[in-house]
Amino acid sequence: MEHFRNESDLLGTLQVPHNAYYGVQTQRAIDNFKISGQTLSDYPHFIRALAVVKKAAAKTNYELGLLDENLYKMIAETCDELIDGKLHQEFPIDMIQGGAGTSVNMNANEVIANRVLEKLGKEKGDYQFCSPNDHINLSQSTNDAYPTSLKMALLSMNIELVEKLKNIVEAFREKGKEFAPVIKMGRTQLQDAVPMSLGQEFEAYAATLEEDISKLNTNANLFVEVNMGATAIGTGLNAPVGYANLCAKNLSQLTGFQVVSAPNLVEATPDTGAYVIYSSALKRLAVKLSKICNDLRLLSSGPRAGFFEINLPPMQPGSSIMPGKVNPVIPEVVNQVCFKVFGNDLTVTFAAEAGQLQLNVMEPVLSHSIMESMIFLGNAMDTLREKCIVGITANKDACLNMVRNSIGIVTALNPYIGYKNSTEIAKEALETGRSVYDLVLERGILSEERLNEILDPANMLKPHQPM
């Protein structure tokens, strides 16, 4: 039989599991918000960031003479435990909640306070010796501690996401080198265009994704500006003089990020602009990934009635009714992740717009949406790289045959026989099914030797002077 302890708050007394490190306000959040099924414990970066912020706050309060040394050390040790991954199961509240993040802030305050009480040999809930509000939340408000913790979490998560992005860029680049000798037809509007190499196509994928490394890092850098010391609305009520800058300095030392105090704390407290622009960078990356997956599905279509230029690694049987069918399941799942990111970005937009006066109360859904997008994208890029890209092979002969039979190679003849002749040959080739090569020779426009030289696919992969 589970035992309980009684804790009280503004609304009265509530039973809390006896062994729980969280307290009454966390219990109310558990009871009130049964929404997404995703809890704070599912987001360890956020818990660690909360602990870092609480440790920085405690250090600042100690240095300003507001906390005694023994209590400060106890709080700092407990925060280190959370940073190391301990007690994360004590954060059971739903990620989507009302209250502008108060439940998250109080969950952290209560867990830290009760762990300190345990270290002191006191009973959980005996808050006269260490209080969630009077000691752990000293000189703070949810309205500065919550967004600051979120920003520290996103900075850490961005490092991991960028590393995963670098890995997939390198995987595409390696394929670009491997496929450099493979000649194929390029396409615009799904119609034959001009020849290129399969290597150029895959190198282009690497290049377009590589651009987003700097975009993510640049936008994440906006998170180093925090509003600690703002307390409720930015006026700094109940925070001592000098707290904001000193706390930012302590956060920098603890995190390694160049954290600075916002120049206008009243402006910074309701401002969500950094989240909007970072979410847009995630969406940009998702758009590119989804386009690449569309390409991979097209290029591997077939095997008899499609492009069949590349082979994706077979991952599972593709049909319950069609024997032998293997589907491009990895690009498909990445497409779906990207769609989720698009939707999350729209949620961030609405949540940011919904701010009113001195606070934006919609930060919980905003934070959940951004962190979910980052986790999903990171997992998707790892999956695409490991289970698809590295195992792709080229159908060299199929690619070359399409080049030889394509009407698109007539474009290369423009500088030598003129646009009118080229158009007429292309039209006849399309109507009769005959090759451009045969029609040019039949009309006596060019010699066979000259035509072979011009239409050598290798000569059409880069700019050159007409021969």
Side-chain angles (χ1 to χ4, degrees):
M1 181 177 179
E2 188 171 16
H3 297 285
F4 295 89
R5 67 178 188 266
N6 290 326
E7 288 196 18
S8 60
D9 60 7
L10 172 69
L11 300 184
T13 301
L14 196 66
Q15 286 191 323
V16 178
H18 184 265
N19 291 326
Y21 287 89
Y22 59 79
V24 59
Q25 293 205 41
T26 301
Q27 186 62 54
R28 292 200 187 280
I30 294 171
D31 296 340
N32 289 337
F33 307 123
K34 301 180 187 297
I35 306 298
S36 71
Q38 295 189 41
T39 64
L40 187 54
S41 61
D42 295 322
Y43 292 83
H45 284 90
F46 203 0
I47 296 174
R48 288 195 289 267
L50 284 160
V52 168
V53 169
K54 294 300 175 180
K55 183 177 180 179
K59 186 172 190 291
T60 306
N61 284 320
Y62 166 67
E63 291 171 343
L64 294 175
L66 299 181
L67 271 182
D68 69 62
E69 185 175 6
N70 184 55
L71 191 55
Y72 156 60
K73 288 183 177 179
M74 291 282 194
I75 293 171
E77 288 175 4
T78 300
C79 290
D80 285 338
E81 291 176 353
L82 293 175
I83 293 167
D84 290 339
K86 298 177 182 177
L87 300 178
H88 283 204
Q89 74 279 4
E90 296 294 323
F91 293 81
I93 59 175
D94 200 287
M95 284 294 291
I96 299 180
Q97 57 195 245
T102 296
S103 297
V104 169
N105 186 41
M106 287 307 301
N107 194 167
N109 290 336
E110 290 172 345
V111 169
I112 295 169
N114 279 309
R115 176 62 177 138
V116 170
L117 289 172
E118 187 174 57
K119 290 173 181 287
L120 293 172
K122 306 298 181 182
E123 293 291 325
K124 294 183 181 71
D126 197 355
Y127 295 136
Q128 62 177 313
F129 299 100
C130 183
S131 164
N133 296 87
D134 296 335
H135 298 113
I136 313 303
N137 201 61
L138 181 62
S139 306
Q140 304 153 64
S141 162
T142 292
N143 302 346
D144 56 4
Y146 180 94
T148 299
S149 299
L150 173 58
K151 288 178 177 180
M152 296 304 102
L154 295 180
L155 282 167
S156 296
M157 293 176 73
N158 180 70
I159 292 174
E160 294 184 9
L161 182 64
V162 166
E163 191 60 32
K164 292 173 184 286
L165 177 54
K166 289 179 179 178
N167 290 339
I168 199 171
V169 167
E170 182 59 26
F172 274 119
R173 186 146 284 145
E174 287 300 311
K175 283 295 168 181
K177 295 174 183 176
E178 178 184 339
F179 296 153
V182 180
I183 305 300
K184 59 159 285 177
M185 280 303 297
R187 298 175 180 86
T188 58
Q189 295 156 285
L190 292 180
Q191 308 299 304
D192 297 355
V194 296
M196 64 185 303
S197 76
L198 189 61
Q200 287 176 316
E201 195 161 32
F202 274 73
E203 170 58 31
Y205 296 148
T208 192
L209 292 176
E210 191 171 41
E211 293 175 350
D212 287 79
I213 295 172
S214 62
K215 298 298 181 185
L216 288 170
N217 286 334
T218 298
N219 289 358
N221 194 50
L222 296 174
F223 296 140
V224 300
E225 184 179 287
V226 302
N227 71 327
M228 287 298 286
T231 64
I233 64 170
T235 60
L237 180 67
N238 294 345
V241 174
Y243 180 91
N245 287 324
L246 182 56
C247 192
K249 178 183 176 183
N250 286 331
L251 267 175
S252 290
Q253 293 174 345
L254 290 172
T255 63
F257 301 123
Q258 299 301 309
V259 181
V260 296
S261 181
N264 187 320
L265 294 178
V266 173
E267 180 275 336
T269 300
D271 179 50
T272 52
Y275 308 123
V276 172
I277 196 167
Y278 186 78
S279 179
S280 73
L282 296 175
K283 181 179 71 173
R284 170 184 156 128
L285 173 58
V287 167
K288 292 185 176 186
L289 278 172
S290 192
K291 186 271 181 189
I292 290 170
C293 287
N294 292 341
D295 286 0
L296 295 178
R297 292 191 292 122
L298 276 173
L299 294 174
S300 64
S301 60
R304 300 293 176 84
F307 287 10
F308 195 51
E309 293 186 355
I310 62 174
N311 305 298
L312 305 185
M315 299 310 299
Q316 61 189 59
S319 174
S320 61
I321 190 174
M322 292 174 279
K325 191 169 187 287
V326 178
N327 295 328
V329 295
I330 301 303
E332 288 172 354
V333 76
V334 175
N335 278 129
Q336 292 172 76
V337 166
C338 295
F339 304 157
K340 191 74 169 67
V341 174
F342 302 160
N344 282 344
D345 180 65
L346 184 59
T347 298
V348 170
T349 301
F350 276 113
E353 186 274 337
Q356 296 170 323
L357 303 176
Q358 280 69 59
L359 185 65
N360 188 317
V361 303
M362 306 301 175
E363 285 189 357
V365 74
L366 184 154
S367 64
H368 178 250
S369 296
I370 294 178
M371 287 192 286
E372 185 180 68
S373 289
M374 296 176 78
I375 292 170
F376 280 20
L377 277 174
N379 291 341
M381 287 191 292
D382 280 348
T383 299
L384 184 62
R385 175 177 57 84
E386 296 168 4
K387 296 185 180 296
C388 183
I389 298 168
V390 297
I392 292 175
T393 57
N395 294 318
K396 184 175 180 180
D397 290 341
C399 290
L400 184 58
N401 286 336
M402 278 193 249
V403 173
R404 287 174 173 169
N405 294 324
S406 172
I407 296 170
I409 61 173
V410 76
T411 303
L413 299 177
N414 279 343
Y416 307 98
I417 66 175
Y419 189 83
K420 182 177 180 181
N421 282 334
S422 297
T423 301
E424 291 176 354
I425 290 170
K427 182 179 179 182
E428 185 174 350
L430 184 63
E431 291 174 348
T432 64
R434 299 179 65 193
S435 71
V436 170
Y437 185 93
D438 290 341
L439 291 172
V440 171
L441 291 180
E442 184 179 287
R443 294 189 181 199
I445 300 174
L446 294 170
S447 69
E448 185 174 4
E449 180 182 3
R450 182 68 168 143
L451 182 58
N452 287 338
E453 186 179 14
I454 296 170
L455 293 185
D456 182 346
N459 290 332
M460 293 187 282
L461 302 184
K462 57 187 177 182
H464 63 277
Q465 294 296 328
M467 297 173 288

